[in-house]
Amino acid sequence: MLPPSLTIVFASKSPRRSELLERAGLPFRVETREVEEIYPDDLPAMEVAPYLARLKAHACMDFLSGKDEILLTADSVVVLDNTIYGKPRDKTHAQD
């Protein structure tokens, strides 16, 4: 468990990830910023999500206001046969 004085600054718009933090009983606040999710073409597929999470972390460091805060970012990608599949454009393309 986190020390009582520690707060997570969660830089994610994901309602599911927020729900997981709530269920774990962790204190957090959500602050987000738009980040262009571009990664090098030669980056191995399994390294893309960590790369993007670090990219978001670097862009959101200024959200931290004190030593009792931790910045948490995340990203996920769908990989099949070393090919990354993007997020659906809208609900009609969710099953493509």
Side-chain angles (χ1 to χ4, degrees):
M1 205 66 200
L2 292 177
S5 64
L6 202 59
T7 300
I8 296 170
V9 178
F10 188 43
S12 174
K13 295 177 186 174
S14 167
R16 178 66 177 141
R17 290 185 182 121
S18 288
E19 178 188 354
L20 292 171
L21 289 174
E22 287 172 1
R23 286 183 173 202
L26 298 173
F28 71 98
R29 73 175 190 272
V30 175
E31 294 200 36
T32 62
R33 174 173 288 138
E34 291 298 320
V35 175
E36 194 170 15
E37 297 185 9
I38 296 176
Y39 53 89
D41 290 336
D42 61 344
L43 191 65
M46 298 307 290
E47 294 179 24
V48 171
Y51 177 90
L52 293 175
R54 282 190 301 275
L55 189 71
K56 293 174 185 180
H58 289 291
C60 297
M61 291 297 290
D62 62 322
F63 291 155
L64 298 175
S65 60
K67 64 179 181 177
D68 293 336
E69 296 180 327
I70 295 172
L71 180 64
L72 176 61
T73 64
D75 204 282
S76 57
V77 294
V78 175
V79 178
L80 177 63
D81 296 330
N82 213 33
T83 299
I84 296 175
Y85 291 86
K87 296 175 181 154
R89 294 184 303 272
D90 54 45
K91 288 184 180 183
T92 62
H93 294 93
Q95 301 300 318
D96 289 350

